Amino acid sequence: MQTDNVIEMRHITKQFPGIVANDDITLELRRGEIHALLGENGAGKSTLMSVLFGLYQPEAGEIRKNGQVVKIHNPNDATALGIGMVHQHFKLVEVFTVLDNIILGAETAKLGFLQKKEARRKVEQLSQRYGLRVDLDARVEDITVGMQQRVEILKMLYRDNEILIFDEPTAVLTPQEIDELMATMREFAQEGKSILFISHKLNEIMAVSDRVTVLRKGKLVGTVATRETDKQALSNMMVGRPVQLEVVKGKAQPGQSVLEVDGLCVRGEGRRRDAVRNVSFQVRAGEIVCIAGIDGNGQSELVYGLTGLEKPSAGRVRLCGEEIGRASIRQRGQHLSHIPEDRHKHGLILDFTLEQNLVLQRFREPAFQRLGFLRQGAVRQYAQQLIQQYDVRSGQGPSTIARSMSGGNQQKAIIARELDREKELIVAVQPTRGLDVGAIEYIHSQLVAERDKGRAVLLVSLELDEVLSLSDRILVMYEGEIVGELDPASTDAQELGLYMSGAKRAEKEGWGA
């Protein structure tokens, strides 16, 4: 039977304890199209794609490729059918090199020996062709989150897949990298590949997709042609209500200095020289200061130095008037809330329950323990309050294991925990990464509310729109240094991009025009 659809998922139902993740969903992917999958956190998008990739088996429904019913029992079956997937949470072996991760499971061997030269040549060609440059000999644990995303994409391209699933591929990329990826995706489509693209970012969906399928709470809302809709209509379909797409905030009223950084240098893990070099700035009560920059320019190491995850090699840090250079993470936590960049590594204990994760920083308080024993009732009551306030969705409520939750809901849990601690300084690194428009609207309003309560907010973001709309002052980092301080009211994305790329510093130092 001839069909334009390369993939058809018909009446797919997938259940987990306490939740129907996919409820009778039908999705069609045409040959050579970019098909976006849109929905709130926990709407069932990743689950549906995991069914297509063979990670889950559906309770009902069937999958067809080129009109023929196929059985996909595992990812090896999917790969044999030409289906590849870039996962939201990376499937990488951290102690292996980049090259070993890319070829893992698809190795070329001769007489029992790996033929890495040929594999290296192919990966280097793919890397250059699609602008996905990465050090093939670096260990995955030593490279940035953005670089790990590139490894995932190269891993899929190495297998010559013709049906490509991208699960939140831009969540950790810079604006420039996102533009490159969008161009790469269009190139894939022109080559005849078919793409399923999960994203919360309406700008990207409008820019690159041909059609959009919207899910809400596990059910299919509808499929529309991108050229026949707009961002507001899509957000309404996704959330079920009108969404405020712009940040609403008044003028900041800065008070006393809360964080003072003077000549800070931080080496960073696995580095021979400082990743942060002689950085000085302050954040005052009642303002949002944003650290902007292309990923890998020292922002992560700066945050590690401030929060205690790395020891500074030089410089001073004062928090609420106290020198904290030698303070432990717990001591810093008395005045500081930290929404970390890597929610799995530094934000959650994945095999703990949601309620246990929500009291990680507070379980020693009398409200939650007595004579060294947790007051389970108080913990559960507190967790339920935060779950409701921040709309954290999970199959079994407070007792859900954190690992089983969607990435967006894991992020909402961390934000709920950290903002509710009401500390003088909030360090928020990529706080809206992987969140849908409704959740982003709420988190932005909460950060502004914290500012208006007189708290100091240090925001680290790769999202230019977020940087320009949420911050009161912008500090741009390039190659480990602060190269500019900008007023968001009198700058734009283009000027900000010039600072982020180092072009403005080159001008000042006489390197450029």
Side-chain angles (χ1 to χ4, degrees):
M1 182 177 70
Q2 186 64 33
T3 177
D4 285 336
N5 296 325
V6 64
I7 288 291
E8 297 169 60
M9 302 183 78
R10 300 210 164 273
H11 306 292
I12 299 294
T13 296
K14 177 61 189 171
Q15 299 178 358
F16 296 105
I19 192 168
V20 181
N22 295 147
D23 189 354
D24 191 27
I25 293 177
T26 294
L27 173 71
E28 296 175 344
L29 175 66
R30 295 171 185 165
R31 192 170 281 100
E33 84 163 336
I34 300 174
H35 193 125
L37 198 55
L38 182 65
E40 291 181 280
N41 302 119
K45 308 178 299 297
S46 295
T47 299
L48 186 66
M49 292 301 96
S50 294
V51 168
L52 179 58
F53 193 58
L55 291 169
Y56 297 141
Q57 298 303 306
E59 277 71 42
E62 66 178 20
I63 299 172
R64 299 179 185 178
K65 185 187 176 194
N66 297 326
Q68 303 296 315
V69 176
V70 293
K71 296 291 184 185
I72 305 176
H73 299 291
N74 53 55
N76 288 337
D77 290 345
T79 301
L81 290 166
I83 301 170
M85 185 168 180
V86 174
H87 300 270
Q88 179 182 6
H89 297 133
F90 312 131
K91 309 290 184 182
L92 300 173
V93 183
E94 291 203 337
V95 295
F96 280 17
T97 67
V98 167
L99 181 62
D100 288 341
N101 269 280
I102 291 169
I103 67 175
L104 186 63
E107 304 92 339
T108 303
K110 190 174 182 181
L111 300 175
F113 292 93
L114 284 177
Q115 302 297 300
K116 282 195 178 181
K117 275 190 178 177
E118 188 180 326
R120 179 181 288 272
R121 197 177 303 116
K122 180 176 178 180
V123 174
E124 284 174 346
Q125 288 171 351
L126 288 168
S127 176
Q128 289 173 1
R129 178 178 176 185
Y130 296 113
L132 298 166
R133 296 170 194 81
V134 66
D135 181 357
L136 297 183
D137 297 312
R139 288 197 302 183
V140 163
E141 65 184 356
D142 294 332
I143 62 176
T144 66
V145 176
M147 288 294 154
Q148 290 179 28
Q149 180 73 284
R150 293 184 182 190
V151 177
E152 280 281 20
I153 295 170
L154 284 167
K155 196 166 78 172
M156 182 174 65
L157 296 176
Y158 182 77
R159 286 155 177 74
D160 300 318
N161 298 129
E162 63 184 42
I163 297 151
L164 313 179
I165 304 168
F166 287 86
D167 187 356
E168 297 283 354
T170 65
V172 293
L173 300 184
T174 66
Q176 290 86 347
E177 289 170 332
I178 290 169
D179 290 341
E180 290 170 7
L181 180 62
M182 299 289 110
T184 301
M185 289 170 70
R186 291 189 196 97
E187 193 174 336
F188 288 157
Q190 287 165 5
E191 291 172 359
K193 298 182 191 294
S194 304
I195 296 173
L196 284 158
F197 172 44
I198 300 176
S199 179
H200 294 116
K201 299 177 182 177
L202 297 173
N203 287 335
E204 294 170 10
I205 285 175
M206 294 302 298
V208 80
S209 69
D210 300 301
R211 289 191 299 155
V212 185
T213 291
V214 181
L215 305 184
R216 193 194 312 150
K217 296 183 179 178
K219 295 180 182 292
L220 176 67
V221 177
T223 299
V224 294
T226 309
R227 65 178 180 273
E228 295 172 3
T229 189
D230 57 36
K231 289 194 295 183
Q232 193 65 59
L234 287 175
S235 64
N236 289 357
M237 284 178 73
M238 180 169 74
V239 183
R241 62 173 176 81
V243 176
Q244 180 71 46
L245 297 176
E246 302 293 329
V247 176
V248 178
K249 66 183 176 73
K251 191 171 175 58
Q253 303 292 330
Q256 289 187 326
S257 181
V258 171
L259 176 69
E260 297 172 70
V261 180
D262 184 20
L264 189 68
C265 298
V266 184
R267 180 137 305 171
E269 193 176 352
R271 289 179 180 261
R272 293 177 183 170
R273 64 191 187 105
D274 288 334
V276 177
R277 297 198 290 279
N278 196 32
V279 164
S280 300
F281 65 92
Q282 63 172 337
V283 186
R284 294 167 295 181
E287 71 171 346
I288 299 174
V289 175
C290 182
I291 303 287
I294 295 170
D295 193 29
N297 277 274
Q299 304 97 309
S300 297
E301 290 81 3
L302 173 62
V303 171
Y304 294 166
L306 297 177
T307 57
L309 291 170
E310 286 281 352
K311 282 189 176 178
S313 54
R316 298 174 62 193
V317 180
R318 292 175 67 82
L319 180 59
C320 298
E322 295 178 19
E323 174 72 47
I324 62 166
R326 297 183 180 276
S328 67
I329 293 174
R330 188 189 296 180
Q331 288 169 333
R332 294 172 198 231
Q334 293 172 7
H335 299 288
L336 177 155
S337 290
H338 179 207
I339 300 166
E341 175 183 15
D342 190 330
R343 52 181 167 248
H344 285 182
K345 199 170 183 179
H346 298 132
L348 298 166
I349 300 177
L350 291 171
D351 292 316
F352 276 19
T353 62
L354 175 55
E355 62 189 355
Q356 288 170 333
N357 274 286
L358 288 173
V359 294
L360 273 182
Q361 307 272 31
R362 304 187 63 177
F363 68 88
R364 294 180 185 83
E365 296 177 10
F368 300 114
Q369 64 91 20
R370 186 168 181 268
L371 301 176
F373 292 92
L374 281 178
R375 302 174 64 184
Q376 298 290 355
V379 170
R380 175 146 300 187
Q381 186 177 357
Y382 175 70
Q384 286 171 333
Q385 172 195 325
L386 289 187
I387 288 167
Q388 183 175 4
Q389 183 180 345
Y390 285 83
D391 191 25
V392 183
R393 297 181 187 177
S394 56
Q396 296 170 290
S399 59
T400 303
I401 299 299
R403 187 183 298 279
S404 69
M405 294 163 56
S406 73
N409 281 295
Q410 291 174 348
Q411 184 74 359
K412 284 197 275 188
I414 293 168
I415 291 168
R417 179 187 71 208
E418 296 303 319
L419 293 190
D420 195 67
R421 292 174 60 224
E422 299 186 339
K423 299 303 178 184
E424 289 92 336
L425 174 67
I426 299 165
V427 179
V429 188
Q430 296 281 78
T432 58
R433 182 184 136 207
L435 298 185
D436 61 68
V437 288
I440 290 171
E441 173 195 41
Y442 183 72
I443 298 308
H444 282 172
S445 69
Q446 288 297 108
L447 288 172
V448 171
E450 293 298 312
R451 178 202 76 167
D452 292 344
K453 289 176 189 172
R455 299 203 170 90
V457 181
L458 180 64
L459 172 71
V460 180
S461 179
L462 303 177
E463 303 281 347
L464 285 185
D465 289 345
E466 184 169 70
V467 170
L468 289 166
S469 62
L470 197 56
S471 58
D472 300 307
R473 284 193 294 132
I474 302 170
L475 303 175
V476 184
M477 281 193 79
Y478 177 72
E479 293 187 346
E481 299 176 6
I482 301 287
V483 295
E485 178 172 334
L486 303 173
D487 179 356
S490 58
T491 190
D492 57 23
Q494 188 174 4
E495 184 181 19
L496 184 55
L498 289 172
Y499 276 96
M500 288 166 64
S501 67
K504 283 287 186 178
R505 187 174 76 169
E507 277 183 29
K508 286 180 182 177
E509 297 183 4
W511 301 342

